[in-house]
Amino acid sequence: MARRVVAQGYGGPDQLALVEYDAPDPGPGEVRVDLRAIGVNPFDLKSYSGAFGTDPGNLPVLLGGEAAGVVSAVGTEANSPTGLVAVGDEVVVFPGRGLYADQVTVPVSSVLAKPSGVAWEVAAGLLLAGATAFDTLDTVGVGPGDTLLLHGASGAVGSAAIQLAVGRGATVVGTASAENQEYVRELGAIPVGYGPGLVDRVRALAPDGVSAAIDAAGTDEALDVSAQLVPERGRIVTIAAGPHAEELGIRRVGGPESRPARDAARLPLLELAGDGVLTVRIAGTYPLEDAARAHRDLAGSHPPGKFVLLP
Ligand SMILES: NC(=O)c1ccc[n+]([C@@H]2O[C@H](COP(=O)([O-])OP(=O)(O)OC[C@H]3O[C@@H](n4cnc5c(N)ncnc54)[C@H](OP(=O)(O)O)[C@@H]3O)[C@@H](O)[C@H]2O)c1
């Protein structure tokens, strides 16, 4: 029997339980993967928090949208975006559902070859935040000569966005807490502390102005400051904000309409990681059965980088 972590009810991490389940034999267009590492993301916590409703019919909630592992069985028509998949291949799985498991059967369309030099933890934590960052940069059209204001720069999405934006020739001013500003600088951005006075601090750091903004923090401050500093509202995007975004006419991405762009980002991201150009810091690893502890740590004030579960 395979094992997976599910949320048996709505609420906090004490709702998580490790249960046995059957990872079925792969059918046409499917493969089975023995997972080596699983990325932990804020969405995983939100999915059973009640933020998206508390319908008892949706229990148990399956968790986990990205992972990496070794193919252990293939169905027919096992052609992935990176070619034909065979038993023994080292792969990344994204996008996925229910990947907090030691074994999963998934559509081959979500399976891509893992670059050989990339560690399991990094491969498992690369694509969800990376594709989100890639999509937001495309959405606001970041390119050479831009000055990008990035809220939540020390986070998983922010860390990827800094590296990708700098690679596109942009200057990045990134908000972070005092303890994470050196990390943001190491990634290539100009760090700035969030909180009262942010507009003036950004103006001082970017005297020629800010041309685009990405909000990965989800605060009203991030939206208000972006709206004050960026001349074109269409060059501001949020992935985390609530209704205040609509009030300001700021675009939010991340729904089903974002899927094609994020799927298309997978190959360039894997290539950049394989070349060592795009890095992912690992903040902590946990045994699969300690998913609740990983969620408590992610919800608190945590060091920058990804949390990863190891089955
Ligand atoms: N819509 C989508 O498609 C999509 C996709 C991925 C993620 N998300 C959402 O985007 C957000 C970021 O995801 P993530 O994986 O990057 O999370 P993360 O790694 O936990 O990063 C969140 C960052 O927010 C910063 N932060 C905390 N309080 C802040 C404040 N008051 N002002 C400014 N920044 C603050 C933190 O920086 P310090 O620790 O330095 O304070 C932290 O680095 C989450 O809400 C997540 O659910 C949305």
Side-chain angles (χ1 to χ4, degrees), residues 257-307:
E257 71 289 350
S258 300
R259 193 70 272 144
R262 297 196 184 180
D263 285 353
R266 295 175 301 177
L267 285 172
L269 288 165
L270 286 167
E271 198 175 319
L272 289 168
D275 291 345
V277 175
L278 179 62
T279 61
V280 177
R281 181 196 273 210
I282 303 303
T285 60
Y286 302 78
L288 177 61
E289 51 269 36
D290 281 354
R293 189 159 57 87
H295 281 197
R296 284 189 195 97
D297 290 352
L298 186 63
S301 167
H302 59 84
K306 296 288 299 189
F307 289 148

Side-chain angles (χ1 to χ4, degrees), residues 228-256:
Q228 280 181 68
L229 291 173
V230 178
E232 289 177 56
R233 206 48 60 96
R235 299 202 70 194
I236 308 174
V237 68
T238 180
I239 57 166
H244 194 43
E246 270 99 72
E247 289 160 18
L248 293 172
I250 290 174
R251 202 167 356 160
R252 192 173 12 213
V253 293

Side-chain angles (χ1 to χ4, degrees), residues 156-209:
V157 175
S159 303
I162 293 174
Q163 297 173 74
L164 294 169
V166 169
R168 291 179 186 205
T171 299
V172 181
V173 178
T175 71
S177 59
E179 54 269 34
N180 291 335
Q181 289 187 17
E182 195 45 44
Y183 170 65
V184 164
R185 191 188 307 281
E186 281 165 20
L187 290 174
I190 302 164
V192 61
Y194 49 77
L198 179 59
V199 169
D200 293 335
R201 288 194 295 282
V202 175
R203 281 203 178 110
L205 292 168
D208 295 333

